[in-house]
Amino acid sequence: MSAMIEPLSPGQHDGFMAERLARFAVDFRLEQVPESVCRYAKLCMADAIGIGFASLGYDFAEPAISSITRLAGDGAYPVIGTNITLPPRDAALLNGILIHGLDYDDTHTGAVIHCSTSAVPLVLAEAQRHGSSGAQALAAYILALEADARIGGVAEGMLQKIGFHPTGLIGIFGCTLAAGMLAGMSSDSLARAQGLALSMASGSLEFLDDGSWTKRMHPGWAASSAIMAAGLASGGFKGPLQAYEGRYGLYALYLRSIPEGLAQVLDDLGTQWEVMGVAIKPYPVCHFNHASIDAMLEVVQQHGLRPADIKQVTALIHEKQADVVARPEASKRRPQNDYEGKFSLQFAVAAAAVRGQFTLDELEPDALQDPAILELCDRVTFRHDDESRYPEFYSGGVVVETADGRMIEYREPVNRGAQGRALEARQVRDKFMSNVTRQCSAARAESVWDAVMRLDEEQGLARLLETISGE
């Protein structure tokens, strides 16, 4: 039996992490946020909503919609891209499934968390429920991202190494803080709400072994559970105060240790903006694969390589990422469905080399069964990259051995979309339009984009909620 983990004492800033986060949350206002951060946050929010529209065309959407609608009953809270309205917790759950369903949503690189995919559904439901202004809604969204980034970042990528999905596990805490802020909760109640969230936090990576759908559910469950945690706490139901640093708190429970630096992790809250560390995805696959896709495309284009010219490819990746996207090698080389394809480094690299791109089309059945891609998959292996900057960035690269004996190496130290290589607003908009117009007209897509970009100017969410509802 492992030794008992001693809890940390309250830090130098007067209180446990939950208390410090709660005090920050209840006083947080959009006026505290730099304009550049607000602009980027709106791009992230629009990107998330756009993916929600695109997901409606995929096989997981209908079972999720029909099951949750059947269980939920009547409500007034819209589901993205549909005419369905549900109670708030159910709408948050379903919207989270849609936003995360394609694994095309943004990721905070340091925390390895899809922050927006739980924060957006939470804010859409709770800002409507409390009659919040657009500025309050945007502030709550930013608050959730800032909290998640710090709570998850201190784990330094170890949660998924152990087998937990950080998005589900951590997302509930940022969402609970956002819910409490929008509800006008006291700091005492909001501190206790995080303790309640601790008992609801969950997320297993077991889906990796068969491509099942549980990961799609995690962020929506985090948002829905956060509404419950905040609601219970606001009614006087008490949760433990040491949600993070306690001997059975988040880190002791899930990491079996208290991370170094935990006492200081909130010191820059409100001065250093982690929103800018959220990477908007250029590819609809696990973010761990992106740099290697870009590297493979660069090598193929620079050297004019055809699949027959490639003898072998060695993908470069950090060992802590390998269990998610590169092992077991045999099954990663033969993904049986689109979701397995999203988490296969071997398939991603091979498909990029054969098709000269990687879009949602490269996850369709014809691509998953393409003989040229599968033949090249058999020639793709991987190794640990000593130069990787993970978890700060999702570095990657390839070493290509050609049929004529050349060795071509190309690295991407910082994955495209991450801080320092952020996608331009026009690129985010192009991705958004491509996703939304899979389900509705370009004119409707334009109206959704405009509603998000003007959110902080609105008295409420009526305009945004109207535009995201079905035509």
Side-chain angles (χ1 to χ4, degrees):
M1 185 174 179
S2 60
M4 181 179 293
I5 297 171
E6 291 297 327
L8 293 183
S9 299
Q12 60 180 339
H13 295 280
D14 252 353
F16 295 111
M17 275 183 65
E19 295 173 307
R20 294 168 60 190
L21 284 164
R23 287 197 296 270
F24 180 83
V26 297
D27 293 328
F28 187 59
R29 299 293 182 269
L30 195 61
E31 291 78 15
Q32 300 167 234
V33 184
E35 177 58 31
S36 59
V37 176
C38 290
R39 284 197 304 270
Y40 189 68
K42 287 187 284 188
L43 291 179
C44 294
M45 182 178 282
D47 179 61
I49 291 171
I51 297 160
F53 275 90
S55 287
L56 292 169
Y58 288 80
D59 58 355
F60 65 87
E62 193 282 327
I65 291 171
S66 61
S67 299
I68 294 172
T69 302
R70 185 171 62 252
L71 290 168
D74 296 333
Y77 298 80
V79 175
I80 293 171
T82 76
N83 289 317
I84 298 167
T85 54
L86 299 172
R89 282 179 290 162
D90 303 283
L93 172 58
L94 188 46
N95 282 330
I97 291 172
L98 293 175
I99 292 171
H100 194 48
L102 300 182
D103 224 273
Y104 207 178
D105 46 313
D106 63 37
T107 311
H108 186 278
T109 51
V112 203
I113 293 174
H114 300 271
C115 297
S116 293
T117 200
S118 57
V120 170
L122 181 284
V123 168
L124 290 177
E126 289 296 88
Q128 178 183 352
R129 189 159 76 95
H130 296 294
S132 306
S133 69
Q136 290 170 323
L138 184 59
Y141 170 67
I142 292 171
L143 170 65
L145 269 57
E146 292 295 318
D148 286 347
R150 288 168 172 81
I151 296 166
V154 74
E156 296 186 334
M158 285 304 298
L159 287 168
Q160 67 270 30
K161 182 68 177 174
I162 295 170
F164 298 113
H165 181 209
T167 297
L169 193 62
I170 304 300
I172 186 173
F173 296 103
C175 283
T176 298
L177 289 159
M181 176 205 146
L182 291 170
M185 288 175 63
S186 70
S187 61
D188 290 343
S189 292
L190 189 48
R192 295 286 184 181
Q194 294 165 79
L196 295 174
L198 173 63
S199 282
M200 304 178 190
S202 62
S204 161
L205 293 181
E206 181 60 25
F207 70 91
L208 287 170
D209 283 349
D210 61 6
S212 52
W213 296 354
T214 49
K215 182 176 184 286
R216 292 177 162 121
M217 180 186 73
H218 292 165
W221 187 253
S224 179
S225 299
I227 295 173
M228 174 64 80
L232 283 169
S234 65
F237 200 89
K238 295 188 181 299
L241 279 178
Q242 295 190 64
Y244 306 103
E245 60 272 76
R247 65 190 177 109
Y248 299 118
L250 177 70
Y251 302 106
L253 193 62
Y254 289 98
L255 290 179
R256 307 309 299 166
S257 64
I258 302 293
E260 291 183 15
L262 184 61
Q264 292 79 42
V265 74
L266 302 181
D267 287 357
D268 62 358
L269 188 62
T271 57
Q272 176 70 33
W273 297 96
E274 292 293 335
V275 169
M276 305 308 289
V278 173
I280 296 175
K281 283 187 175 184
Y283 300 119
V285 297
C286 178
H287 233 135
F288 292 171
N289 293 336
H290 285 212
S292 292
I293 292 174
D294 273 336
M296 190 73 243
L297 290 172
E298 186 70 23
V299 169
V300 167
Q301 291 162 8
Q302 276 191 14
H303 297 272
L305 298 182
R306 299 166 300 169
D309 299 325
I310 300 171
K311 181 178 180 180
Q312 183 172 311
V313 180
T314 302
L316 307 175
I317 190 171
H318 195 284
E319 173 60 29
K320 287 182 179 178
Q321 299 169 283
D323 285 344
V324 176
V325 295
R327 295 191 185 103
E329 290 196 69
S331 60
K332 293 296 184 183
R333 290 188 176 119
R334 290 295 182 273
Q336 299 301 301
N337 53 57
D338 66 330
Y339 220 56
E340 288 190 9
K342 291 173 183 291
F343 291 89
S344 168
L345 178 63
Q346 292 87 339
F347 177 80
V349 167
V354 172
R355 297 287 184 92
Q357 62 178 18
F358 204 107
T359 69
L360 287 167
D361 293 338
E362 276 61 61
L363 293 161
E364 292 293 335
D366 70 299
L368 295 170
Q369 298 160 17
D370 186 333
I373 295 176
L374 297 180
E375 285 172 13
L376 186 53
C377 273
D378 290 334
R379 305 197 296 277
V380 179
T381 186
F382 75 96
R383 67 172 169 83
H384 171 66
D385 182 11
D386 290 330
E387 298 180 26
S388 174
R389 298 175 65 180
Y390 178 82
E392 180 186 9
F393 299 111
Y394 303 155
S395 308
V398 294
V399 179
V400 179
E401 181 181 356
T402 65
D404 60 9
R406 288 174 291 162
M407 297 293 289
I408 305 168
E409 183 171 326
Y410 191 90
R411 275 183 167 83
E412 293 276 349
V414 178
N415 54 294
R416 190 159 55 94
Q419 192 168 10
R421 292 193 68 194
L423 300 186
E424 297 175 4
R426 127 189 105 70
Q427 294 172 308
V428 179
R429 188 179 182 282
D430 288 346
K431 174 186 171 183
F432 170 88
M433 293 296 292
S434 176
N435 282 330
V436 178
T437 53
R438 285 174 170 262
Q439 294 297 320
C440 66
S441 67
R444 174 55 67 95
E446 293 275 10
S447 68
V448 178
W449 177 267
D450 189 60
V452 177
M453 294 304 110
R454 296 179 178 274
L455 178 61
D456 48 328
E457 304 169 16
E458 298 287 339
Q459 293 299 309
L461 264 67
R463 183 182 176 206
L464 175 59
L465 297 175
E466 180 182 359
T467 62
I468 67 171
S469 300
E471 291 185 86

